[in-house]
């Protein structure tokens, strides 16, 4: 697949991470993940999108949704940055052990908007 200047890269790497935050650690978690997300998008040319989604406020369950240029932009470039190291350090303090679930995948095809409908 080739990149399309108007639609973006042909191959993208998506990461979906679910976590549960320890009681009393929500503020520390939010500060750390916001910094990681902000720095990822601002400083890494291969990071296109990074969002945090609240899954269940009462149980303090969250997901991160990230899109990278390709697998190496996430696995090598992102994971070697100082802000990722800072996030990993904080995550050990704020995430309930055993609740960090990573799902990763490569984009296989894209949808194109046509008069308000998506076609493939």
């Amino acid at each position: 697949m080739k990149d399309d200047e108007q639609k973006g890269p042909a191959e993208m790497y998506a990461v979906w991470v679910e976590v549960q935050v320890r009681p009393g650690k929500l503020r520390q978690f939010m500060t750390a993940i916001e910094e990681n997300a902000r720095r990822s998008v601002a400083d890494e040319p291969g990071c296109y999108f990074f969002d945090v989604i609240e899954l269940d406020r009462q149980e303090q369950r969250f997901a991160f949704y990230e899109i990278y240029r390709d697998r190496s932009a996430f696995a090598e470039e992102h994971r070697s940055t100082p802000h990722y190291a800072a996030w990993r350090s904080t995550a050990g303090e704020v995430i309930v052990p055993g609740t960090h679930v990573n799902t990763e995948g490569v984009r296989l095809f894209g949808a194109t908007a046509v008069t308000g409908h998506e076609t493939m």
Side-chain angles (χ1 to χ4, degrees):
M1 296 174 70
K2 293 183 179 180
D3 290 355
D4 181 317
E5 289 181 19
Q6 292 180 337
K7 295 178 186 172
E11 179 183 341
M12 288 188 282
Y13 191 72
V15 180
W16 178 267
V17 180
E18 292 187 25
V19 298
Q20 184 172 13
V21 178
R22 293 177 192 253
K25 299 290 186 174
L26 184 58
R27 180 171 288 170
Q28 185 180 1
F29 163 78
M30 291 303 290
T31 300
I33 195 61
E34 181 181 351
E35 177 67 6
N36 185 37
R38 187 180 63 75
R39 301 291 299 190
S40 294
V41 174
D43 297 344
E44 299 172 38
C47 182
Y48 300 137
F49 181 83
F50 193 130
D51 199 4
V52 179
I53 300 159
E54 182 180 83
L55 300 175
D56 185 322
R57 179 169 292 266
Q58 186 174 356
E59 293 188 18
Q60 296 192 136
R61 290 180 46 245
F62 296 86
F64 326 146
Y65 179 58
E66 307 166 60
I67 299 175
Y68 291 86
R69 175 189 66 241
D70 53 29
R71 183 175 176 79
S72 70
F74 173 73
E76 297 164 24
E77 296 167 30
H78 173 66
R79 289 182 172 173
S80 68
T81 64
H83 60 268
Y84 181 77
W87 158 249
R88 292 297 298 165
S89 175
T90 301
E93 299 172 23
V94 301
I95 303 298
V96 174
T99 66
H100 185 279
V101 179
N102 239 21
T103 305
E104 304 173 21
V106 175
R107 173 183 159 193
L108 298 178
F109 57 86
T112 304
V114 178
T115 65
H117 300 285
E118 288 190 347
T119 61
M120 301 205 212

